[in-house]
Amino acid sequence: NNTVMDEPYSANLLTPKSRLLEADPKLERTLLLESQQLRTINISCNAFQYIPKEIYSLTQLEYLNLSDNKLLSLPTQIGQLGSLQEIWLNDNHIDKIPASIGNLKQLKRLFIAGNELRKVPTEIGRLSRLEVLCLNDNKLQILPAVLGHLRHLKYLDLKGNPLCCLPKRLKKLYWEKQGALKISLDNKQLLRYDHRCTCVDSLKGRLSTWFGY
């Protein structure tokens, strides 16, 4: 079903498990362009390969769900959605988060699990209100130290990534918050604050094993 609520400040465009917008792009543009006060959009479970450009003009948008599509990238224009508080991008094919993500000053919840990420931009450290960050089931081996600056973070999911270590600042934040921050990991040993593993040391160890020095 495709529903647009009558109230302009609580409008919803809900199309999960529907091909309506994909099948009729003219309807898509009409709905979006005539609903500048939309606060919520859910177009999950479709087959979008890109985010409809009309969405970037919705400056009042607070919730955006694009999970379970076929998105190949996250464009820099995502940074134009300055009112966004929650975004779902799970189960796509996204391989990069643009630096413009740092412009989303109101963002509290970011879900981008089940993608192809190999790197998290340092600009994510500018999301001072972020409470939930789900990066599980990607291809991350290292994380930026700026994650340790996210003082409001309550939940960080890192499972399903080939991580060799965690930034010291992040581990410090975890222990300082004394249970107020939950970090989900495959290897809990990485959370040890005295854990001396660094990615450089790990690489040196592998080279030593390979070449016998």
Side-chain angles (χ1 to χ4, degrees), residues 143 146 155 204:
L143 296 169
V146 294
Y155 181 70
K204 286 181 178 178

Side-chain angles (χ1 to χ4, degrees), residues 22-23 37 43 50 52 85 152 155 163 192:
E22 180 189 4
Q37 299 301 315
I43 47 175
Y50 61 90
Q85 296 182 24
H152 288 89
Y155 181 70
L163 292 167
R192 290 176 54 190

Side-chain angles (χ1 to χ4, degrees), residues 56-72:
Y56 303 126
S57 66
L58 304 178
T59 56
Q60 302 301 312
L61 196 63
E62 296 178 357
Y63 174 93
L64 176 60
N65 191 337
L66 288 157
S67 292
D68 292 296
N69 277 285
K70 296 182 179 180
L71 298 178
L72 301 175

